[in-house]
Amino acid sequence: MTHAIEIKDLHKHFGDNEVLKGIDVTVEPGQVVCVIGPSGSGKSTLLRCVNLLEQPTRGQVRVQGVDVTDPDVDIDAVRRHIGMVFQQFNLFPHMTALQNVMIAQQRVLRRGKRAAEVVARENLDKVGVIDKCDAFPAQLSGGQQQRVAIARALAMNPDLMLFDEPTSALDPELVGDVLAVMRKLAEEGMTMLVVTHEMGFAREVADRVVFMDGGVIVEDGPPAQVIGDPRHERTRSFLSRVLHPED
Amino acid sequence: MTAEPGKARLSPRKKQRISRGVQYALLVAIVVGVVLYADWPSLAQNFTKLDVAEKALPELFTIALRNTMIYAVGGFVLSFVFGLLLALMRLSTVGPYRWISTIYIEIFRGLPALLIFLMITFLPLALPGFEVPGGTFGQGILGLGLIGSAYQAEVFRAGLQAVPKGQTEAARSLGMSAFRAQLTVVIPQAIRIVIPPTTNQFVSLLKDSSLVFFLGVSGQYVELAKFGNDLASQYANATPILVAGVTYLIVTIPLGYLASRLEHRKGTRR
Ligand SMILES: Nc1ncnc2c1ncn2[C@@H]1O[C@H](COP(=O)(O)OP(=O)(O)OP(=O)(O)O)[C@@H](O)[C@H]1O
Ligand SMILES: [Mg+2]
């Protein structure tokens, strides 16, 4: 069986700044892997290397067996199979929620307008914002925008989903709605690589938790181990900061 | 100014009052001076002679304003299309495209518009057998388009760069090609951003269309400035120039307001 994502010895430099210093991660189909770690540790960069929003400096990134760093690979075709959800939502502000979910279906998958609309409505319904079809992003709350963004990604029938701190820009009372949608996706068997600070979500939903610090993976294992019983001091001190910020 | 006895300094409020008083006094002095020294009868005779103004009608609108609009709109369309192309070239990852576009923009923004129109009149000499399509209209529109596209390119570049990078990233993540992402996601947003400065750009072109004067146009091709000037020479009276000026203002002032309204609306939305 091919791995959903297989990252080997991944390095990424920004000029002299070595942000990723040899990362190895594997995600199996249907798995949910959460990446945690302090700010600046390279979590976003790792995620962005998977769909080549960043070009890796060295190493291998395979998505469903396809080496995305191979210059001959059709990256647009690879990206079609990878849904991505951003911290800042990045909805298209000049389109309604419905159009946001339809546009790539029409322009990339070449679905007809009718078919695209059916799929869009299905997915907006699934994430609980079907009543906001005709609203523009500026008229939606952060939580609603993020759910539209998830619907937009899902409408492409991706084989796996990348989430980069999907709830970090949300007011606390809106976080739950988005996490509930992600939970549902996980239960349906979606392959997910999730950067998050939501330890509760990681503990309950993730098959594995990866702790990153300073561009390397410090710890990688089931949540009960990495969050519940961390082996490394760095993991412990990070977790105590995240779980008990008032101390 | 001397401080009141017993008080070390003037209060800020008092200072402000005195400064205002001085400004008003100065204004009154200037107005009185102008009123006393200006030769009102002669001014009225030369600039606001109604019977001369009447001679401008109806050609003022049916020919002069119409032609001004033809030059301005034509030049605007050309600069819109060509400006967008230049802006995309300027933001291209291909070096030579960037260089060509940068050089063009620098040259045509750096030269006086008049010089470019003078050059256009010499085109047939420089390129024997070459003729700008569309005759005089073509020449005028070409001149305005050449100049306008350099400015419009910078307007578009600013607009394209104002669209957040996350928009392109979201589009590319959905599998859109770089071209497709520009076309469906970035450009429509950039166009919204550039509507107010583009309106101002059109006003500029409308005013610059007066430079068609130097193409040596006549008859059916005259625009407002030339039209006013010709009538003024004919009657040895400046009134037609004032009339032409008012006609420009009738178009440019509302457009200026429209631009600032649009700018304002952009600020309140999203
Ligand atoms: N495009 C870029 N150019 C230069 N440096 C960058 C770029 N993107 C990220 N970096 C640097 O890489 C390092 C890691 O950034 P990254 O965004 O991956 O961290 P992160 O773990 O996601 O942090 P956060 O939790 O704050 O999102 C930072 O030092 C950042 O300044
Ligand atoms: Mg990040």
Side-chain angles (χ1 to χ4, degrees), chain B residues 2-15:
Chain B
T2 51
E4 282 174 44
K7 271 198 181 170
R9 301 172 66 200
L10 287 171
S11 71
R13 208 159 144 199
K14 203 147 195 185
K15 257 192 191 163

Side-chain angles (χ1 to χ4, degrees), chain B residues 37-76:
Chain B
Y37 288 95
D39 184 350
W40 289 105
S42 157
L43 276 177
Q45 172 67 22
N46 273 299
F47 283 95
T48 56
K49 226 167 159 239
L50 277 183
D51 54 328
V52 176
E54 273 168 21
K55 297 280 195 306
L57 296 173
E59 288 84 2
L60 174 71
F61 297 110
T62 58
I63 294 183
L65 179 59
R66 188 199 68 161
N67 286 350
T68 289
M69 293 311 268
I70 290 177
Y71 289 118
V73 171
F76 179 73

Side-chain angles (χ1 to χ4, degrees), chain A:
Chain A
M1 187 175 66
T2 53
H3 308 290
I5 305 174
E6 187 183 22
I7 298 168
K8 276 192 184 157
D9 194 33
L10 174 65
H11 291 254
K12 175 66 188 175
H13 303 228
F14 289 109
D16 290 340
N17 185 10
E18 189 172 13
V19 175
L20 300 180
K21 305 170 181 167
I23 299 280
D24 297 271
V25 183
T26 307
V27 181
E28 303 302 342
Q31 269 191 340
V32 176
V33 175
C34 284
V35 181
I36 61 173
S39 182
S41 55
K43 307 180 298 293
S44 296
T45 307
L46 169 64
L47 216 60
R48 294 160 59 86
C49 280
V50 173
N51 70 349
L52 233 62
L53 285 181
E54 301 291 354
Q55 184 71 44
T57 309
R58 185 150 58 83
Q60 249 192 7
V61 178
R62 284 179 179 278
V63 176
Q64 299 180 311
V66 178
D67 183 357
V68 300
T69 59
D70 179 349
D72 289 333
V73 88
D74 177 0
I75 188 59
D76 295 336
V78 174
R79 283 180 179 142
R80 253 169 255 161
H81 301 280
I82 309 174
M84 179 134 186
V85 176
F86 301 86
Q87 185 175 347
Q88 297 300 335
F89 329 134
N90 294 345
L91 288 181
F92 306 134
H94 57 304
M95 300 179 192
T96 63
L98 188 66
Q99 289 167 334
N100 261 279
V101 184
M102 287 170 66
I103 186 74
Q105 298 184 59
Q106 293 174 276
R107 297 288 182 268
V108 177
L109 301 182
R110 304 259 160 233
R111 282 188 190 143
K113 191 164 182 245
R114 286 274 167 77
E117 184 170 342
V118 169
V119 175
R121 286 184 185 277
E122 264 169 28
N123 282 290
L124 285 167
D125 190 28
K126 180 172 183 175
V127 300
V129 287
I130 188 69
D131 52 330
K132 298 293 178 186
C133 274
D134 297 321
F136 284 90
Q139 299 165 319
L140 300 175
S141 75
Q144 291 166 338
Q145 288 189 56
Q146 192 60 296
R147 284 181 284 156
V148 173
I150 293 173
R152 177 174 71 176
L154 290 176
M156 304 295 285
N157 307 115
D159 297 319
L160 56 124
M161 294 275 289
L162 308 173
F163 292 84
D164 190 0
E165 299 196 35
T167 58
S168 294
L170 299 180
D171 292 337
E173 74 270 20
L174 303 176
V175 167
D177 293 338
V178 173
L179 289 182
V181 168
M182 292 169 62
R183 224 176 259 264
K184 189 155 86 180
L185 275 181
E187 279 161 16
E188 288 172 5
M190 176 61 78
T191 310
M192 295 160 62
L193 183 58
V194 184
V195 175
T196 187
H197 289 297
E198 297 293 332
M199 290 306 148
F201 177 85
R203 203 193 320 247
E204 290 160 31
V205 182
D207 296 295
R208 270 180 24 243
V209 172
V210 173
F211 173 65
M212 275 180 77
D213 192 9
V216 297
I217 287 177
V218 178
E219 218 159 322
D220 179 346
Q225 181 211 309
V226 177
I227 299 177
D229 182 22
R231 306 213 170 133
H232 291 77
E233 176 49 35
R234 279 151 86 185
T235 320
R236 273 198 290 274
S237 80
F238 170 76
L239 284 171
S240 76
R241 262 180 292 134
V242 175
L243 296 174
H244 314 286
E246 63 277 7
D247 296 351

Side-chain angles (χ1 to χ4, degrees), chain B residues 138-151:
Chain B
Q139 287 185 347
I141 287 169
L142 175 67
L144 292 171
L146 287 174
I147 300 158
S149 56
Y151 288 93

